[in-house]
Amino acid sequence: MKDEVKLIIFSVAIFAAAYASSFLFDLPLVLLLLLSFYFTGFTFVLNARLQKALNDENKNKFTQVFMGLTGIKILSSLILLVCFLYMFKANKLHMGICTMSYYMLYTVFEVALWRKKLST
């Protein structure tokens, strides 16, 4: 199965789980949609850039791209979280946990995907 299809299936599953948990923890639907679009889009970009870096003649390029984009992702996730905390006044703890859960789940997905690719 192609990586893009795996990512879409993964994203739908994560959104469904987050939406189901929003009934228990009162998370705004806007938050869930924005997080899903942001992390799915970022993972698409990361995969495209890593695939290009993998075929580069510079062997360090893959590591540099991976570390750079991972750093950008964590900083932009924290900025996104601060914006959400400023916009939505209620349930700040739940929003923080939800945002960081999205970050961790997508990071684990990316690492597992690329570990499998690089080991073959």
Side-chain angles (χ1 to χ4, degrees), residues 114-120:
W114 279 97
R115 184 173 177 184
K116 184 178 177 183
K117 270 186 174 183
L118 294 174
S119 68
T120 57

Side-chain angles (χ1 to χ4, degrees), residues 89-103:
K89 299 299 182 193
N91 298 324
K92 291 184 177 189
L93 177 65
H94 296 150
M95 282 190 286
I97 291 171
C98 182
T99 303
M100 290 298 107
S101 296
Y102 262 87
Y103 174 82

Side-chain angles (χ1 to χ4, degrees), residues 37-107:
F37 284 123
Y38 169 75
F39 283 106
T40 302
F42 201 96
T43 303
F44 270 123
V45 170
L46 179 82
N47 284 340
R49 297 285 304 190
L50 286 177
Q51 191 62 48
K52 184 177 176 184
L54 187 63
N55 299 328
D56 196 278
E57 60 188 45
N58 181 0
K59 298 300 177 192
N60 294 326
K61 185 77 169 181
F62 181 85
T63 305
Q64 292 168 351
V65 169
F66 183 79
M67 294 301 291
L69 287 175
T70 301
I72 290 169
K73 183 170 78 169
I74 194 159
L75 287 175
S76 61
S77 297
L78 290 173
I79 291 169
L80 193 64
L81 175 60
V82 168
C83 292
F84 286 148
L85 293 175
Y86 181 75
M87 289 186 326
F88 303 107
K89 299 299 182 193
N91 298 324
K92 291 184 177 189
L93 177 65
H94 296 150
M95 282 190 286
I97 291 171
C98 182
T99 303
M100 290 298 107
S101 296
Y102 262 87
Y103 174 82
M104 290 303 296
L105 288 169
Y106 275 87
T107 301

